[in-house]
Amino acid sequence: MSDIILETRDLTKHYGGVHALEGANFTLRKGEHVAIMGDNGAGKSTFVRQITGVEQRTRGDIVFYGKPVSFAGPLDAREAGIETVFQTLALADHLDVADNLFLGREKIRFKLGPFSILDYRAMRDATLAALEKTGVKIPNIHNTIERMSGGQRQCVAIARTATFHSRLTIMDEPTAALGVQETAQVENIIRTLKEAGEPLILISHNMRQVMDLVDRIVVFRRGRIVANLKKEETDGQDVVAYITGAKTQPEYEGAA
Amino acid sequence: MANTAHGIGGLKYDPKKRTKPPELNVFMALVLIIVTFEVLGWLIYRDSFLFNTRDNVDAIFNWARINIIILQVSIIGIIAIGVTQVIISGGIDLSSGSIVGATAMIVMSFAQTELVNGNPNPKAVFGAWAMDLPVLVPILVGLACGLIAGCVNGLLIAYTRIPPFIATLGLMVSARGLSKWWTNGQPVSFPTEGFAALGKGMMPVVYFIALAILFHLILRQTVYGKHTYAIGSNEDAARMSGINVARHKVLIYTIAGMLAAIAAIILSSKNLTAQAGMGVMYELDAIAMSVIGGVSLAGGRGSIIGTVLGALIFGVIISGFTFLKLDAYYQEMVKGAIIVGAVVLDQWRQRRTAARM
């Protein structure tokens, strides 16, 4: 049982009367890449927000590497080793690549509270190493984000998660706004993570991408999990049937 | 999109490829304005704006004018250093002028001397206990005023989530009221010699330059600076990156408040008096200096160097108008036009950056 990285039990989130997420039981094992699929408003992003501490859950447990956790905020989750690439890119447009990679956890040369002095050289070196590791190609790391294409921005966001020894990476629709070539580049990075044995939760609407990249697909519908499918045992049409509500797996019957 | 380097660009760190600093444009504008006044001076009065034309003085430049240009923007320039940080973080501070007024009144009350020409101080605010105090007392009182005012701004903005415009507008009105109430509108005068020495002569320039260098380094080299830019650039991203945005905003507004208080100490020392109307419109001049210096009202962009150059442009224009013997009313009208022009330029620059995507 020790190879379970993340487990949620009865994870629930209500916004007032809206039951955005209801009793989600989910497990992720070592080195596994799992996709979360579902229609808009099915509860995918809500599910991620509970895990990453962006919001506080209404009830339920989250167990991360065998320990029950309760993150007060995204920084807590990040310190525990959960890195998230958010749907809206969490990048500061006026800062450069290294600044963004280290935003909120800058390398320090001299500690002095909020006026601690930055170690630009160390951050630049670590940035180059991280980009090398993920295979991200950016013409000049001293360019500010506002001067970059959508694909390059997404790559920076992903490289950020890979810079630190993350124990779980979560990507919320990383290629939704990208062109074909850029999507391919992001997918390559995801494959690199797979080879490195880094666990990943991928939220995506792109069926081809999901079938290409992940081991398992979990389908959400109206705030509930309705299917847990191994990639080898399913296909695109089958998944769509679960997403639209034409099918529900027997063990989740009565849920939605 | 065609020129991006997917798969071929590779990783590079090329210092030569760094884009030229935006302050260069502001500097060019400063030079252009000086040249304009120089040319107009020769055309109209056969006199130089910046160069020495008097035979009895041995100097290349007209130092008297240059000193005045810098001196007259130094005190508001100190305020602008704080306002710059506020605007970079995506906020605005309308209260700094009123903080100057209120702080000057309170500071001067603790800097008075007991005897004026052998008679008791006619403007005494407190009893004998507050007379002839060491100069450190009014300085600390002043800094405390700035700290409290800045904290109020910061806490209001960070924790009640009301827009900075409204929060600081509130303090702008209240602090002005406080400065009038303090002595029922009476000026506070006759400071101790020690206090009067603080802002004597060119001292304001010394403080301005020292503070500009200090905050330039802080913005460029410290975590505080990096987070200030990050919050102004993308507040949600900053929050998701684990930056304590609320706490950081309180810090930014507190620093701005304290810089306004420093300006108040220097100003009241320089003028040897404090009046309830001190610092009126200073907030707008400080904002103007920042904006002219390339600080974007949308946040995320700007620098202290830019603001210093913006302040110099400001000073040169005022001096230039006096030099050309133009009416003071024209100065204000043109000042307004320059501010609008700088914002239009900023908008245009942003759109161009967006269009390049």
Side-chain angles (χ1 to χ4, degrees):
Chain A
M1 289 302 278
S2 64
D3 67 338
I4 293 181
I5 281 166
L6 178 79
E7 185 173 3
T8 71
R9 299 192 200 107
D10 192 30
L11 191 61
T12 298
K13 177 69 184 180
H14 297 170
Y15 301 101
V18 181
H19 296 196
L21 186 68
E22 194 70 51
N25 297 316
F26 174 91
T27 51
L28 180 75
R29 285 165 197 285
K30 209 171 155 191
E32 204 178 18
H33 280 197
V34 174
I36 293 180
M37 299 195 81
D39 257 337
N40 291 326
K44 311 181 299 282
S45 291
T46 308
F47 177 69
V48 168
R49 284 199 294 271
Q50 311 316 308
I51 297 172
T52 52
V54 174
E55 291 173 358
Q56 297 306 314
R57 56 187 181 264
T58 307
R59 66 162 192 271
D61 300 308
I62 300 171
V63 181
F64 188 53
Y65 280 87
K67 279 190 205 127
V69 288
S70 191
F71 301 123
L75 186 63
D76 262 16
R78 176 174 277 184
E79 273 168 4
I82 298 179
E83 287 289 342
T84 314
V85 180
F86 289 100
Q87 198 167 6
T88 49
L89 291 176
L91 296 176
D93 279 356
H94 301 90
L95 302 182
D96 70 15
V97 178
D99 288 343
N100 267 290
L101 247 58
F102 286 92
L103 195 58
R105 50 191 164 183
E106 292 79 4
K107 281 186 189 287
I108 300 299
R109 207 162 46 171
F110 183 78
K111 211 166 156 53
L112 206 72
F115 301 105
S116 296
I117 298 182
L118 298 165
D119 191 345
Y120 278 111
R121 183 185 296 260
M123 288 194 277
R124 190 226 304 156
D125 292 346
T127 300
L128 288 172
L131 295 180
E132 202 99 51
K133 181 175 147 197
T134 44
V136 172
K137 291 184 174 66
I138 285 160
N140 185 348
I141 64 163
H142 277 287
N143 269 353
T144 52
I145 299 297
E146 63 188 342
R147 291 165 181 275
M148 292 184 181
S149 71
Q152 288 173 331
R153 286 169 192 229
Q154 193 58 263
C155 288
V156 171
I158 294 171
R160 176 158 74 182
T161 70
T163 316
F164 303 91
H165 297 285
S166 60
R167 303 162 82 189
L168 169 62
T169 305
I170 300 175
M171 295 188 191
D172 193 350
E173 301 197 36
T175 59
L178 302 186
V180 177
Q181 213 179 5
E182 296 173 321
T183 300
Q185 199 187 359
V186 169
E187 287 172 356
N188 273 334
I189 296 172
I190 294 175
R191 285 191 195 93
T192 316
L193 291 177
K194 176 76 187 168
E195 282 160 24
E198 308 227 8
L200 173 85
I201 296 175
L202 173 72
I203 298 181
S204 179
H205 282 298
N206 185 332
M207 190 65 71
R208 177 204 55 78
Q209 181 177 66
V210 165
M211 285 298 176
D212 243 20
L213 294 173
V214 304
D215 310 305
R216 195 151 58 80
I217 299 165
V218 171
V219 181
F220 277 70
R221 194 168 70 229
R222 282 193 266 157
R224 291 168 186 274
I225 293 177
V226 293
N228 181 2
L229 311 155
K230 281 198 178 121
K231 186 175 74 178
E232 301 81 41
E233 295 167 6
T234 185
D235 58 47
Q237 283 197 335
D238 195 37
V239 175
V240 170
Y242 285 111
I243 292 173
T244 54
K247 278 169 86 176
T248 301
Q249 275 190 329
E251 59 262 49
Y252 298 104
E253 211 56 80
Chain B
M1 206 81 99
N3 292 327
T4 54
H6 296 297
I8 44 166
L11 309 168
K12 260 182 265 164
Y13 167 63
D14 186 356
K16 272 176 284 180
K17 265 198 171 174
R18 299 175 85 164
T19 43
K20 65 171 185 188
E23 289 84 13
L24 208 63
N25 291 331
V26 186
F27 182 72
M28 298 302 281
L30 176 62
V31 172
L32 190 75
I33 291 167
I34 291 173
V35 169
T36 308
F37 280 124
E38 193 69 48
V39 169
L40 287 175
W42 282 110
L43 287 178
I44 303 172
Y45 298 110
R46 305 223 153 270
D47 193 8
S48 168
F49 176 56
L50 218 53
F51 294 97
N52 180 37
T53 48
R54 279 186 289 176
D55 299 326
N56 57 345
V57 182
D58 181 32
I60 299 171
F61 292 105
N62 184 346
W63 284 108
R65 178 167 287 127
I66 294 176
N67 285 344
I68 287 174
I69 289 174
I70 303 174
L71 183 62
Q72 68 187 355
V73 296
S74 284
I75 289 174
I76 302 180
I78 290 170
I79 303 171
I81 292 172
V83 169
T84 295
Q85 299 172 49
V86 168
I87 299 177
I88 288 174
S89 79
I92 195 84
D93 188 354
L94 297 177
S95 67
S96 39
S98 295
I99 294 177
V100 168
T103 305
M105 294 299 278
I106 296 169
V107 163
M108 199 47 126
S109 308
F110 290 93
Q112 290 181 299
T113 182
E114 179 139 40
L115 295 174
V116 180
N117 298 328
N119 302 312
N121 190 330
K123 297 287 183 192
V125 177
F126 298 122
W129 63 271
M131 293 299 162
D132 291 316
L133 294 169
V135 69
L136 199 62
V137 175
I139 291 176
L140 290 178
V141 168
L143 290 177
C145 290
L147 184 108
I148 294 167
C151 247
V152 168
N153 275 338
L155 290 170
L156 274 174
I157 290 157
Y159 293 105
T160 68
R161 303 276 179 107
I162 55 176
F165 185 89
I166 301 300
T168 58
L169 183 73
L171 192 67
M172 171 184 165
V173 178
S174 299
R176 185 60 66 194
L178 171 72
S179 56
K180 289 174 185 161
W181 165 82
W182 187 254
T183 55
N184 293 319
Q186 293 296 311
V188 187
S189 308
F190 305 113
T192 59
E193 264 178 46
F195 188 76
L198 287 176
K200 228 176 201 159
M202 295 296 281
M203 285 309 282
V205 179
V206 175
Y207 299 125
F208 176 45
I209 293 171
L211 287 167
I213 293 172
L214 175 70
F215 279 98
H216 169 75
L217 290 175
I218 286 178
L219 278 189
R220 280 289 151 83
Q221 300 293 337
T222 72
V223 172
Y224 166 83
K226 198 58 73 187
H227 289 183
T228 302
Y229 282 96
I231 291 171
S233 181
N234 186 344
E235 193 170 324
D236 287 332
R239 195 171 289 117
M240 283 186 200
S241 301
I243 296 172
N244 190 334
V245 174
R247 205 177 57 195
H248 195 86
K249 280 188 176 175
V250 175
L251 190 57
I252 293 170
Y253 283 93
T254 303
I255 287 173
M258 290 182 78
L259 282 163
I262 291 172
I265 296 169
I266 299 166
L267 182 65
S268 55
S269 163
K270 180 172 171 262
N271 292 358
L272 304 175
T273 181
Q275 287 168 4
M278 258 180 171
V280 169
M281 297 280 276
Y282 278 19
E283 62 280 339
L284 295 183
D285 284 355
I287 292 168
M289 286 175 183
S290 307
V291 171
I292 292 170
V295 180
S296 167
L297 285 170
R301 190 184 283 119
S303 71
I304 299 291
I305 295 179
T307 297
V308 170
L309 290 171
L312 288 179
I313 288 180
F314 217 77
V316 165
I317 287 171
I318 295 170
S319 264
F321 274 62
T322 315
F323 166 65
L324 295 177
K325 302 186 176 68
L326 282 170
D327 224 38
Y329 304 121
Y330 288 117
Q331 288 182 17
E332 291 197 359
M333 287 190 257
V334 170
K335 224 157 79 174
I338 290 167
I339 296 168
V340 174
V343 175
V344 170
L345 209 67
D346 171 47
Q347 298 274 337
W348 179 69
R349 199 164 42 196
Q350 276 177 40
R351 225 171 298 139
R352 206 177 44 163
T353 318
R356 209 181 304 141
M357 288 310 307

